[in-house]
Amino acid sequence: MRKGATGGALIFTLTRKEAEDMAKVLSAHRDFSGVAYHYHGGLPEDEKLRIEEAWRNGSIRCLCATTAMIHGVDHPNLRYVAFWSLPTSIQTLHQGFGRAGRDGKLSCCDLFYNFDD
């Protein structure tokens, strides 16, 4: 997340392992204070529901998720969306970035990639 940003952050990854690894790295960072979690289809249903609720109520500040989550996101104060690598289509990118700032407030989006992508 950008310095000084408030609200939730959503970082999309292509794989489950990337989501898990990203959440570990961010949780260790002082700005996130252990409140970055991973979310993907491989989690047990009860854990997914617990994470979804905690993210909606603000207990989880940052969620690292596979792009399969894009269509179910309607977070009221999502301020930051990032793709950790190139998404599989321009529509996926559009859908993901369209999740930020739905309440009309200023939000940021980033796309990270390397030339091997």
Side-chain angles (χ1 to χ4, degrees):
M1 261 173 69
R2 295 177 189 261
K3 188 167 180 72
T6 60
L10 182 56
I11 300 173
F12 289 113
T13 63
L14 290 180
T15 68
R16 293 174 179 181
K17 179 158 178 23
E18 280 182 340
E20 292 170 4
D21 291 347
M22 178 66 67
K24 282 180 191 172
V25 168
L26 291 174
S27 286
H29 194 276
R30 63 180 165 74
D31 288 345
F32 288 93
S33 302
V35 291
Y37 285 78
H38 66 274
Y39 182 95
H40 55 66
L43 296 174
E45 198 60 36
D46 61 329
E47 187 173 357
K48 285 195 285 190
L49 292 172
R50 182 184 58 77
I51 291 170
E52 288 171 15
E53 178 59 29
W55 191 58
R56 268 193 297 277
N57 73 29
S59 299
I60 294 175
R61 184 170 171 209
C62 179
L63 195 60
C64 303
T66 56
T67 55
M69 185 187 186
I70 284 177
H71 299 290
V73 176
D74 195 14
H75 195 286
N77 67 338
L78 186 57
R79 295 283 166 262
Y80 182 73
V81 172
F83 281 85
W84 185 241
S85 50
L86 285 176
T88 55
S89 70
I90 194 71
Q91 290 85 5
T92 301
L93 180 68
H94 184 265
Q95 285 287 323
F97 282 170
R99 301 302 169 194
R102 289 191 156 202
D103 58 1
K105 295 185 180 177
L106 185 62
S107 301
C108 298
C109 300
D110 285 316
L111 170 63
F112 298 96
Y113 67 94
N114 67 50
F115 291 108
D116 290 337
D117 288 344

